[in-house]
Amino acid sequence: MVAHQKQKARLLAALFLAQEQYGWLSSEAIERVSERLSLSPGKVRSTASFYSMFNLTPRGDYHIQVCEGLSCYLAGGADTLVNFLTNLLGIKPGETTLDGKFTLDVVQCIAACGSAPALRINDELYENMTRESITNLIEELQEGNR
Ligand code: FES
């Protein structure tokens, strides 16, 4: 592994750990990672903002990321699922429910193209999603059964 790749791997690992510890990557968390790895805060922040798995703002307990990649789009996904979730939760992409339970976001491909439409909630991938399966999933999460 070349030096550049090693540095990037260390940075991604540090960002992941910081997010695990703090729940999201605040300016303070970015600053700590930059100090530990002797990188500029700008470099750390730009790397974190490139990957949808990193949160630069506080999130709800369940971070719902709906894929709007091509495969999901062609499978009737993104718009349909986002609109459905918007109505179901009463929030738009980028927003968090008032109870702090759900945050809704739209992201690009989440590596489940063969089973589109797909979405991710926290670290869990959900494939072949329909309005019915989303409704059941959200109900289970609201009841704490997942
Ligand atoms: S386009 Fe949606 S998972 Fe790849």
Side-chain angles (χ1 to χ4, degrees):
M1 194 183 287
V2 294
H4 173 71
Q5 290 173 317
K6 283 183 180 176
Q7 183 191 52
K8 187 171 183 180
R10 275 196 300 269
L11 175 53
L12 293 176
L15 287 169
F16 182 79
L17 290 173
Q19 184 166 276
E20 283 288 298
Q21 185 174 355
Y22 300 110
W24 63 291
L25 296 172
S26 63
S27 294
E28 182 181 283
I30 295 284
E31 192 68 38
R32 285 187 184 194
V33 170
S34 72
E35 286 171 9
R36 287 277 167 105
L37 300 181
S38 299
L39 296 170
S40 73
K43 166 78 176 162
V44 174
R45 180 174 293 282
S46 70
T47 299
S49 67
F50 181 77
Y51 294 95
S52 62
M53 64 187 170
F54 294 124
N55 305 321
L56 293 169
T57 55
R59 303 290 182 190
D61 297 339
Y62 299 105
H63 183 201
I64 304 169
Q65 296 177 297
V66 178
C67 177
E68 68 169 0
L70 184 59
S71 294
C72 289
Y73 176 80
L74 293 175
D79 288 347
T80 305
L81 298 187
V82 169
N83 288 338
F84 185 69
L85 278 162
T86 294
N87 289 329
L88 189 65
L89 299 172
I91 54 172
K92 292 183 242 165
E95 294 180 346
T96 300
T97 54
L98 289 176
D99 63 3
K101 205 152 194 173
F102 298 98
T103 297
L104 178 61
D105 272 321
V106 178
V107 297
Q108 290 302 312
C109 185
I110 53 176
C113 308
S115 47
L119 58 84
R120 183 170 52 211
I121 301 180
N122 296 347
D123 296 328
E124 205 73 37
L125 191 60
Y126 297 90
E127 302 163 279
N128 300 307
M129 296 308 288
T130 62
R131 291 175 188 202
E132 184 180 11
S133 61
I134 287 178
T135 301
N136 292 337
L137 179 58
I138 295 298
E139 282 176 5
E140 288 178 20
L141 294 173
Q142 284 174 326
E143 294 166 5
N145 293 336
R146 280 224 176 220

